[in-house]
Every structure is written in C-alpha cells, then in structure tokens.
Amino acid sequence: MSCSATNADAAAHPAPDPGEFTVVLTDAAATGRLAAQLAALLEPGFVLFLSGDLGAGKTTFARGLLRALGYPGRVRSPTFTLVESYDLSRFQLYHFDFYRLSSDRDWLDAGFDDLIGGSGVAVIEWPERAAASLPAPDLRLRMEFDAAAGEQVRLARLEAGSPRGFACLRRLRASGAAC
C-alpha cells in the first residue's frame, strides 16, 4: 500500500483535499491492511459506501474489514441475499450488496432502512443502485483498477461524506495509511 503522490508531486502541486485521498493497493494483502486500518476507526452508526467495477476488490475489502474486527467465520458475499449480518464485539455490522436491486426503493421496501445509521455499522456495496433514497455516507471508498499498472494493482479512492468521515480520514492519514 502506498500513497498515490510522490514527494516531487507534493512540491509541485497544492496540498490535497483533506476530505479525500487515494491509496495504491498492490495486492490483496494491501487491501486487507487498508481494511484493518479502517476497521480500527469504525464506530456504531458509521456508513461506508463501497463502489467500483466488478472484480475491483469491494468484497475483498469487506472481508478484510470483518477479519480485522475479529470475525472468525466464513464471510459471504451478499450478492444474492442483499445483506449479511455479523454480530461483533463492538457492534453489529451489516454488509449490503445492492448490485441486484431493480429500483432505488427496493432496499426500503425490504426494511433495510432500520439497519443503516443506527447502532450498527453499514457497509454498502453498489450504493449507486439506491442512491436516491440512501442517507449520505460517512465515507465513500471507490475501488478501481490502475490502468497504468495492470489488473493486479488497484486504487482505493476515499472521500469523506460527513464530519465523522473527515475525522476518519485524518486518523487514517496520521496512521500512515495514505497521504
């Protein structure tokens, strides 16, 4: 895992937006390390959006997050069930996958709105499928293939969506997760 900007870039360009940054993920282990760093910062009520193309690493990131939070069992992709719930020591984590939604209200009709923003943590893959009716996230994480480096290298673009998200990004930067 490394920062996307070099020291020369930093000298030539103004400081990055404090509400966003990009991390280069060279392999699945780097994705797991970023997930572990974020896991340490999660608290009840946190909403994380995970976006990106198919195969970009969203579910790998979610698995890394759950492992870092101490979940020892099998982590399933919620592609067909829409949500998987995990009872953790610090909170309940709800892992949603909205890829198969046919309308942006389907998640509301399923009653999932009670699970987002309460005492649990919501991790939502494919939030753009329900964008019109979802609450704003604390943090957006977009996983992308690095076109210049090939399909093994991913870019994780993080963007704060709330004061809690900004605080999370500040702590990630301070821990050395990214520039």
Side-chain angles (χ1 to χ4, degrees):
M1 179 170 54
S2 67
C3 298
S4 62
T6 65
N7 289 339
D9 290 337
H13 301 337
D17 181 337
E20 59 184 56
F21 63 80
T22 300
V23 179
V24 177
L25 305 171
T26 56
D27 55 24
T31 301
R33 287 190 298 276
L34 178 60
Q37 289 173 318
L38 181 58
L41 304 176
L42 295 179
E43 58 188 37
F46 199 93
V47 178
L48 172 65
F49 283 4
L50 291 177
S51 297
D53 295 328
L54 284 171
K58 296 178 299 297
T59 301
T60 298
F61 182 88
R63 284 187 179 116
L65 200 65
L66 282 157
R67 290 286 174 251
L69 290 166
Y71 184 75
R74 183 169 178 241
V75 177
R76 293 182 273 267
S77 172
T79 300
F80 294 101
T81 59
L82 299 182
V83 66
E84 291 288 337
S85 176
Y86 300 92
D87 189 16
L88 306 169
S89 63
R90 294 175 27 211
F91 45 73
Q92 191 82 11
L93 186 138
Y94 301 100
H95 180 196
F96 296 92
D97 186 329
F98 290 163
Y99 181 73
R100 299 201 178 280
L101 293 184
S102 58
S103 86
D104 68 351
R105 292 205 37 92
D106 284 352
W107 75 278
L108 288 169
D109 294 340
F112 294 151
D113 55 324
D114 291 339
L115 304 178
I116 297 175
S119 61
V121 168
V123 176
I124 304 170
E125 291 188 46
W126 297 97
E128 48 282 331
R129 302 281 178 136
S133 56
L134 279 173
D138 292 298
L139 193 63
R140 290 178 186 87
L141 188 147
R142 177 155 182 81
M143 306 286 291
E144 301 173 355
F145 295 103
D146 185 345
E151 284 199 20
Q152 292 300 96
V153 177
R154 309 289 201 281
L155 300 175
R157 300 186 189 279
L158 295 104
E159 179 185 353
S162 73
R164 183 171 23 197
F166 277 97
C168 182
L169 290 185
R170 277 194 304 277
R171 292 180 68 191
L172 281 172
R173 277 193 186 94
S175 72
C179 295

